[in-house]
Amino acid sequence: MSEVKSYIDSHQQRFLDELLEFLRIPSVSADSKFKQDVLRGADFLERSLNQAGVDQVEICPTPGHPIVYAEKIVSEEKPTVLVYGHYDVQPADPYELWDSPPFEPVIKDQRIYARGSCDDKGQMYMHIKALEILNQQGELPCNIKFILEGEEEVGSANLENFVRENAARLSCDVILISDTAIISNDTPSITVGLRGLSYVEVEVSGPNRDLHSGVYGGAVANPINVLCKMISSLIDERGRITIPGFYDKVQELTEQERAKLAEAPFDLAQYKKTIGINDIQGEEGYTTLERTGIRPTLDVNGIWGGYTGEGAKTVLPAKANAKISMRLVPNQDDEEIVKQFTKHFLSLAPESVNVKVTPHHGGKPAVTPTNSTAYQAASKAYEEAWQKMPIPTRDGGSIPIVALFSEVLKVNTVLMGFGLDSDAIHSPNESYGIFNYLKGIETIVLFHHQFAALSK
Ligand code: BES
Ligand code: MN
Ligand code: MN
């Protein structure tokens, strides 16, 4: 057994215990009730980073939740790896759908069940354990810097300023992130594309109060009926989004690039089975992996209005609301898409109602090259640890700071993820495989060595 593997083997119980302690902190960024817990998350990281042997750690306050910065610089001659991760988690609601409480982690069937176990505490903590191993092996092969934020799940509003103001301090040769998924434990992959995001909230309002649906129904526009009609017109029968200009900047892939993506194994029957659907649906002319990887989408994330309590109440509601997200692909611009959406959505409104559109946070799509030194190093690291060459894939999720890093720091990012789609991130019963946690640590250690060797 390699030196790295045997170290992981003999310390595996402690590696797990430490992660479980981290997972017990409910660092939910979206809910101010957990503000102190988010701070405790940052304190935990400060201690862990010190224990793993960094030169210095700083908890940097922001108008929101703090950013944890740490570094260990061994030599100016060596390349520098900047690790990004997020220690905030999504809200755990609805609690009643969890088989065990979200912030009381349990291990069952070789998996760690807790909110954040995969996204992103588990994946982020692997980098701290990798540093511990690299440190005890001798002098680090690369300098290492950490930027760990507490606001990713709420849009990273304060990270942009921090990165712009600290660009010199953050200078590096590669940005390394573990916050994505692999195809399966038999088929490792490296994410080379992430979608962007535009997110809006809409409100349709009609009469100045809720009305009796018998007295007024049929003569007064019902805001919920109108909202549904407006929303349903946003996607046509071919699965195309009808907002004028929406596709103008979409980068179409060449047949060759599409063929390359199609090399990733995909089992449709299994896909349908794991999420309990009878059939798939999407834009005409594209495969499922293309629909989630290289095509933009529009989805209603929530819709409300009128009476939703027990029994029946005959009411013609005064208002209807919805939250709508659009996933974007290169070279769509999130702010431009919000403008196009707003203009179009307002134009759909009949005279009988008023419509308001409020934008939320968004983010730019990103693609990362496969011909960089960093990608080659990552590819070799997976090959050595997993005994298989990783396949480049495009993921449907978003990590908006990837585009920001490439703009401000002018450095390539490598997305070395170790999660699985079945880990149920953002859902009840989120989990992370112990195998993935330990194998990930090993792969990260190998990456540092490969990157140092290839950078010479
Ligand atoms: N780690 C995810 C993004 C992700 C998941 C990328 C799976 C690829 C595969 C991240 O924490 C996340 O949830 N991002 C949000 C966007 C953010 C602006 C709230 C998302 O994708 O909805
Ligand atoms: Mn994440
Ligand atoms: Mn997330």
Side-chain angles (χ1 to χ4, degrees):
M1 207 192 298
S2 79
E3 189 198 334
V4 180
K5 269 176 146 160
S6 68
Y7 186 93
I8 295 172
D9 221 46
S10 49
H11 294 84
Q12 104 163 337
Q13 191 56 50
R14 178 172 55 82
F15 282 11
L16 279 169
D17 290 341
E18 289 173 10
L19 174 57
L20 296 197
E21 187 187 335
F22 191 21
L23 293 172
R24 277 186 204 105
I25 305 171
S27 48
V28 178
S29 50
D31 187 342
S32 56
K33 215 172 51 232
F34 295 101
K35 194 169 167 52
Q36 286 306 317
D37 295 303
V38 180
L39 288 178
R40 279 172 57 220
D43 290 339
F44 175 91
L45 288 173
E46 179 180 29
R47 279 195 308 279
S48 317
L49 285 157
N50 274 324
Q51 272 160 17
V54 296
D55 301 331
Q56 50 156 308
V57 195
E58 198 186 318
I59 297 182
C60 312
T62 75
H65 303 299
I67 291 165
V68 179
Y69 176 78
E71 62 179 36
K72 183 170 173 86
I73 308 296
V74 288
S75 157
E76 273 188 18
E77 320 275 273
K78 292 189 171 182
T80 301
V81 175
L82 173 63
V83 175
Y84 163 87
H86 63 93
Y87 65 92
D88 64 322
V89 299
Q90 284 276 325
D93 312 74
Y95 280 64
E96 67 275 14
L97 295 183
W98 286 76
D99 295 332
S100 55
F103 300 109
E104 293 169 34
V106 292
I107 292 180
K108 207 170 65 189
D109 307 326
Q110 296 297 308
R111 310 191 60 77
I112 308 153
Y113 285 86
R115 169 59 83 231
S117 54
C118 172
D119 184 12
D120 180 39
K121 284 172 161 172
Q123 294 213 59
M124 178 177 77
Y125 200 65
M126 297 184 311
H127 289 270
I128 299 180
K129 291 303 97 179
L131 172 62
E132 175 187 321
I133 297 172
L134 288 162
N135 247 328
Q136 67 83 43
Q137 284 180 330
E139 191 180 274
L140 299 185
C142 302
N143 301 310
I144 186 164
K145 297 178 177 177
F146 287 87
I147 178 169
L148 310 175
E149 71 157 321
E151 297 189 303
E152 196 273 349
E153 299 291 10
V154 288
S156 306
N158 295 297
L159 192 65
E160 175 161 356
N161 266 345
F162 185 87
V163 172
R164 289 190 194 280
E165 281 165 16
N166 293 278
R169 199 180 182 195
L170 296 170
S171 71
C172 60
D173 299 284
V174 63
I175 294 152
L176 189 58
I177 304 179
S178 296
D179 194 22
T180 51
I182 51 172
I183 295 172
S184 75
N185 283 350
D186 298 321
T187 315
S189 55
I190 299 177
T191 301
V192 293
L194 290 164
R195 289 195 286 189
L197 181 70
S198 291
Y199 201 110
V200 295
E201 194 165 325
V202 299
E203 181 173 278
V204 174
S205 51
N208 57 10
R209 58 185 168 88
D210 284 4
L211 303 174
H212 189 290
S213 69
V215 175
Y216 289 98
V220 175
N222 178 322
I224 302 183
N225 293 17
V226 172
L227 176 62
C228 290
K229 193 167 172 190
M230 289 169 75
I231 287 174
S232 65
S233 80
L234 294 175
I235 300 179
D236 70 15
E237 59 294 340
R238 291 165 51 228
R240 304 250 322 165
I241 293 149
T242 56
I243 301 168
F246 187 82
Y247 291 96
D248 284 0
K249 292 194 174 161
V250 168
Q251 195 182 77
E252 301 288 339
L253 267 63
T254 62
E255 281 311 314
Q256 212 179 357
E257 287 171 313
R258 290 178 72 181
K260 189 94 197 108
L261 285 180
E263 283 173 19
F266 179 75
D267 182 341
L268 181 60
Q270 185 62 25
Y271 184 82
K272 292 196 282 193
K273 193 168 156 229
T274 52
I275 52 173
I277 55 167
N278 301 324
D279 206 357
I280 47 164
Q281 187 184 301
E283 186 182 359
E284 222 172 81
Y286 294 93
T287 66
T288 298
L289 287 181
E290 287 174 339
R291 286 168 177 172
T292 59
I294 59 166
R295 300 300 296 168
T297 60
L298 183 148
D299 277 289
V300 179
N301 294 248
I303 185 161
W304 67 100
Y307 182 70
T308 56
E310 199 182 325
K313 178 187 178 195
T314 49
V315 62
L316 194 165
K319 269 183 195 160
N321 301 73
K323 291 184 194 276
I324 297 172
S325 70
M326 288 159 279
R327 294 282 169 175
L328 313 178
V329 300
N331 300 309
Q332 287 178 298
D333 180 85
D334 57 318
E335 288 170 27
E336 190 180 352
I337 293 291
V338 168
K339 281 197 194 113
Q340 289 173 348
F341 174 91
T342 306
K343 186 165 175 229
H344 179 62
F345 203 71
L346 294 177
S347 81
L348 293 175
E351 272 302 311
S352 51
V353 297
N354 287 312
V355 174
K356 206 166 78 195
V357 178
T358 314
H360 281 271
H361 58 74
K364 305 214 172 342
V367 276
T368 59
T370 53
N371 60 1
S372 65
T373 304
Y375 184 91
Q376 297 307 323
S379 183
K380 286 191 164 189
Y382 277 93
E383 204 177 343
E384 197 175 332
W386 300 67
Q387 305 290 311
K388 250 190 203 168
M389 177 101 158
I391 298 176
T393 54
R394 299 261 202 139
D395 280 6
S398 309
I399 310 178
I401 42 78
V402 175
L404 176 76
F405 280 147
S406 91
E407 182 210 317
V408 180
L409 302 178
K410 313 230 173 340
V411 178
N412 284 321
T413 291
V414 177
L415 296 158
M416 286 183 84
F418 300 100
L420 296 175
D421 285 350
S422 52
D423 290 344
I425 62 171
H426 295 203
S427 298
N429 302 312
E430 175 178 354
S431 69
Y432 192 37
I434 293 179
F435 171 82
N436 298 64
Y437 178 55
L438 300 174
K439 193 50 99 183
I441 296 171
E442 183 190 340
T443 314
I444 293 165
V445 171
L446 296 173
F447 172 84
H448 283 259
H449 289 293
Q450 288 292 354
F451 189 62
L454 294 177
S455 298
K456 281 205 175 106

